């Protein structure tokens, strides 16, 4: 297997040293160098042409996000994995076509998974991914990003069977399990209203996966292909849901 060349960019020497130690534990990775700010990093990328950049976001001068934008404009951009102590930058980070977003302190297992993903992307593919992200801004998201202490999870919209509001969170039930989102049900309905229908004040279901209705005592629940979750249908919305199911038959 060809060795993956890596540049570490972080304004904190201790953070760079920790990432370097974690990198040494991974097979087929070669650290080319390190930089403490965006200008030095950009120069090293041009001179060394690394396959991958491990990049902090908050740095003096140009931020990691600004540097990522400059790198994505190169003819052969490196893959980028953000390594940061802050989770609020996930959405703008992925707009730069980053392949990973890890929260400090970075665990070696998380780094290994992100590096494996970067290894599967060639530099031409990374350039195409950047162009695809620009297009997605005008055509709507194909993936929903969720941030937790484990890192960032990307949930394909086409895999979601339903969104259910639970207390102050919204849970996406999808083919891979359940994911807590930091978005309101109303925001999701406004964005994906053509693909999801509201069946209750706390639930949206994917029209494509509706399998029928089932009576549960005095209530009705929607049956969905692929998951066990059965969102309740409110009395007010029941006639519309019935009509929709009849049209699908």
């Amino acid at each position: 297997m060809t060795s993956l060349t890596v540049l570490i960019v972080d304004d904190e020497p201790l953070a760079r040293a920790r990432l370097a130690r974690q990198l040494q534990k991974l097979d087929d990775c070669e650290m080319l160098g390190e930089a403490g700010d965006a200008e030095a990093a950009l120069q090293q990328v041009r001179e060394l042409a690394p396959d991958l950049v491990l990049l902090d976001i908050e740095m003096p001068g140009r931020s990691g996000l600004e540097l990522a934008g400059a790198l994505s404009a190169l003819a052969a951009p490196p893959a980028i994995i953000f390594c940061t102590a802050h989770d609020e930058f996930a959405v703008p980070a992925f707009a730069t076509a980053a392949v990973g977003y890890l929260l400090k302190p970075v665990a070696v297992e998380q780094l290994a998974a992100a590096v494996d993903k970067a290894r599967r992307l060639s530099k031409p593919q990374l350039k195409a991914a950047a162009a695809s992200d620009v297009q997605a801004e005008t055509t709507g998201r194909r993936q929903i990003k969720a941030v937790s202490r484990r890192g960032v999870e990307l949930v394909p919209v086409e895999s979601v069977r339903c969104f259910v509001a639970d207390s102050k969170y919204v849970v996406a039930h999808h083919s891979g399990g359940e994911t807590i989102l930091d978005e309101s049900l109303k925001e999701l309905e406004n964005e994906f209203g053509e693909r999801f229908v509201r069946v209750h004040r706390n639930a949206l279901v994917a029209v494509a996966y509706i399998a029928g209705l089932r009576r549960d005592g005095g209530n009705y629940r929607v049956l969905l292909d692929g998951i066990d979750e059965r969102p309740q249908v409110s009395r007010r919305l029941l006639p519309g849901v019935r009509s929709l199911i009849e049209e699908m038959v």
Side-chain angles (χ1 to χ4, degrees), residues 41-50 74:
L42 187 57
Q43 181 178 348
Q44 289 200 49
V45 168
R46 287 170 173 160
E47 293 175 354
L48 303 175
L74 297 176

Side-chain angles (χ1 to χ4, degrees), residues 74-96:
L74 297 176
I80 296 173
I81 296 174
F82 284 102
C83 302
T84 177
H86 307 279
D87 61 12
E88 66 268 26
F89 298 112
V91 172
F94 276 102
T96 67

Side-chain angles (χ1 to χ4, degrees), residues 25-46:
K25 299 176 184 178
L26 306 184
D27 295 330
D28 301 306
C29 283
E30 176 189 354
M31 180 176 163
L32 290 184
E34 58 183 71
D37 59 69
E39 297 305 324
L42 187 57
Q43 181 178 348
Q44 289 200 49
V45 168
R46 287 170 173 160

Side-chain angles (χ1 to χ4, degrees), residues 75-151:
I80 296 173
I81 296 174
F82 284 102
C83 302
T84 177
H86 307 279
D87 61 12
E88 66 268 26
F89 298 112
V91 172
F94 276 102
T96 67
V99 298
Y101 189 99
L102 306 178
L103 296 178
K104 297 177 181 178
V106 176
V108 67
E109 296 82 7
Q110 294 174 321
L111 181 61
V115 167
D116 284 343
K117 181 179 180 182
R119 195 188 300 276
R120 294 193 295 268
L121 292 175
S122 67
K123 291 184 178 181
Q125 286 174 319
L126 290 166
K127 188 174 182 180
S132 175
D133 279 343
V134 172
Q135 181 182 13
E137 290 180 5
T138 59
T139 59
R141 290 181 294 171
R142 293 187 295 272
Q143 296 175 316
I144 299 174
K145 303 175 182 71
V147 183
S148 69
R149 291 305 302 176
R150 295 175 299 177

Side-chain angles (χ1 to χ4, degrees), residues 178-196:
E178 302 176 4
T179 301
I180 295 176
L181 306 179
D182 188 23
E183 302 184 50
S184 72
L185 211 58
K186 186 61 178 176
E187 290 171 335
L188 294 167
E189 183 178 27
N190 289 340
E191 183 172 0
F192 304 115
E194 294 183 358
R195 301 169 64 175
F196 291 81

